Amino acid sequence: MKTLLLQIFTWWNGQTMGTRFHTWRHGTRVGDDELGNIYYEGGSDSEGRTRRWVIYNGPAEASAIPAGWHGWMHHRTDVAPSAETYVAKPWELAHRKNYTGTAQAYRPKGSILNQGARPHVTGDYDAWTPKS
């Protein structure tokens, strides 16, 4: 019951009621990933392509889509990773949670939230001033 109420009143927890209805009416399950996200396709988008969508396992976070599924979702390939023996390239990194807005977020040197000092200006940059 709690899950159903979350889906009715929030868009970031799993799927909305509109997505649930669209999935039931038009969706064909294509596969799932190691994070528990489920991928569907069905119907057509405004450009005539087959519509593809994901139902997240947990909060909706776009960075939680693995590289292989990302390519399929954005029509870079017509073959879903579940339909082939997809192997990640050596340069593809595993998913890392998005830490924006948390204490673990990236804070470069010079950031007001970073304890370190701002790097010294080397002199190869002159700030713009009017009428210069």
Side-chain angles (χ1 to χ4, degrees), residues 3 6-16 55-60:
T3 303
L6 283 173
Q7 290 176 1
I8 291 172
F9 295 108
T10 62
W11 59 265
W12 57 88
N13 288 305
Q15 59 183 324
T16 62
I55 297 178
Y56 295 97
N57 179 21

Side-chain angles (χ1 to χ4, degrees), residues 14 29 31-39 54-70 81 93-98:
R29 185 177 178 154
D32 54 354
D33 63 24
E34 61 273 7
L35 300 173
N37 301 324
I38 305 171
Y39 298 88
V54 59
I55 297 178
Y56 295 97
N57 179 21
E61 181 186 344
S63 67
I65 297 178
W69 283 104
H70 181 272
L93 300 176
H95 174 260
R96 272 188 8 204
K97 184 178 177 185
N98 183 354

